[in-house]
Amino acid sequence: MALVTGAGGGIGREVVVDFVNRGYSVLCWGRHPPIDRVAGADYVVCDVSDPVSVENATLGLRTRYKRVDVLVTSAAILKTMPLHRMTDDVWNEMISINLTGVFRACRAVLPFMIEQGGGSIVNLSSVHAIATVPGTGAYAATKGGIISLSRQIAVEYADHGIRSNSLVVGSVDTAMSTLHGEELTRDSVTVVVPEGTIGRMADPREIARAVAFLAGDDASFVNGAAFTVDGGLTSRLM
């Protein structure tokens, strides 16, 4: 069974579609009831920024599924503004969903994976953890934290047969990316996108296939990695 958080988002939904097509039983956690459900997947309203919501969803998970083979944490928000104008509320909201939400989801499934003797965790990070643009301070901080947290889990739980990796994702054609571009324009931030193939945006399905690789047995020797899937974006100097 695979559990996917942020399952209603552009990447999350394609991860769900891909997993269903591969024969997984899939449970989707999202802050709101899904508008566009994936046939064959189950849905539970769960806000990973709310510890009570996660606790209740976890109780239901244990009652219905008994085990969790794969966790994919895709839930995230992105709000763009310079740090000197960023309020505590904006900062705390992004930390709560993007980073603490990953911690809570991992904490929820680790007992299942320990009991069953294994499992795979894939936490979605971003190129902003490595190389960023103005206005994304909180987002970049959360995505850098995800890389470190994923490595920590790998070290602590490898002897239980649990693998934990982060996926460092580049530009992807999603509603979040569109909103990010609009907010950069609002703040008069100009980002020059590289021309040609290096600068292209990914289809969310390309990210879903990378997630499936890390989740599956073909990646049995991949643990604690920050697996970059960015079309070469962070390899380009200028």
Side-chain angles (χ1 to χ4, degrees):
M1 193 278 279
L3 170 62
V4 180
T5 74
I11 295 176
R13 186 182 187 282
E14 291 304 329
V15 169
V16 173
V17 170
D18 189 85
F19 276 175
V20 168
N21 289 340
R22 292 173 189 269
Y24 284 87
S25 297
V26 183
L27 175 62
C28 307
W29 283 2
R31 296 175 77 183
H32 308 288
I35 296 174
D36 186 15
R37 288 175 177 258
V38 176
D42 293 330
Y43 289 82
V44 169
V45 174
C46 177
D47 181 355
V48 294
S49 70
D50 179 356
V52 175
S53 181
V54 174
E55 182 178 355
N56 291 336
T58 303
L59 289 173
L61 175 62
R62 184 168 289 279
T63 298
R64 180 164 185 176
Y65 286 96
K66 312 299 183 184
R67 63 180 293 124
V68 181
D69 300 290
V70 176
L71 168 66
V72 179
T73 61
S74 182
I77 61 170
L78 171 55
K79 294 186 178 181
T80 301
M81 65 186 64
L83 280 173
H84 71 278
R85 294 211 320 256
M86 185 171 292
T87 65
D88 282 2
D89 287 344
V90 171
W91 174 272
N92 289 333
E93 182 184 17
M94 294 184 69
I95 295 292
S96 180
I97 294 173
N98 295 11
L99 182 56
T100 307
V102 172
F103 155 70
R104 289 193 179 113
C106 291
R107 182 177 62 181
V109 305
L110 280 167
F112 290 86
M113 293 182 175
I114 291 170
E115 291 170 11
Q116 67 203 29
S120 178
I121 296 172
V122 183
N123 297 317
L124 268 63
S125 181
S126 164
V127 292
H128 287 281
I130 300 167
T132 190
V133 298
T136 56
Y139 185 78
T142 64
K143 294 303 182 177
I146 286 171
I147 291 175
S148 297
L149 176 60
S150 301
R151 286 175 173 155
Q152 185 68 33
I153 294 170
V155 169
E156 289 196 29
Y157 297 98
D159 289 343
H160 292 282
I162 299 168
R163 294 185 300 106
S164 171
N165 296 286
S166 57
L167 193 69
V168 181
V169 178
S171 297
V172 186
D173 187 9
T174 64
M176 179 185 286
S177 294
T178 300
L179 178 60
H180 184 211
E182 292 172 352
E183 290 181 342
L184 289 175
T185 300
R186 176 203 64 198
D187 294 335
S188 300
V189 175
T190 300
V191 177
V192 179
V193 179
E195 295 181 359
T197 303
I198 288 290
R200 80 171 178 88
M201 300 187 81
D203 185 303
R205 291 171 293 185
E206 294 178 287
I207 308 304
R209 290 194 290 268
V211 169
F213 166 71
L214 287 178
D217 291 340
D218 285 346
S220 59
F221 199 54
V222 183
N223 198 15
F227 194 84
T228 302
V229 183
D230 69 349
L233 187 62
T234 53
S235 298
R236 180 163 176 159
L237 180 61
M238 295 179 66

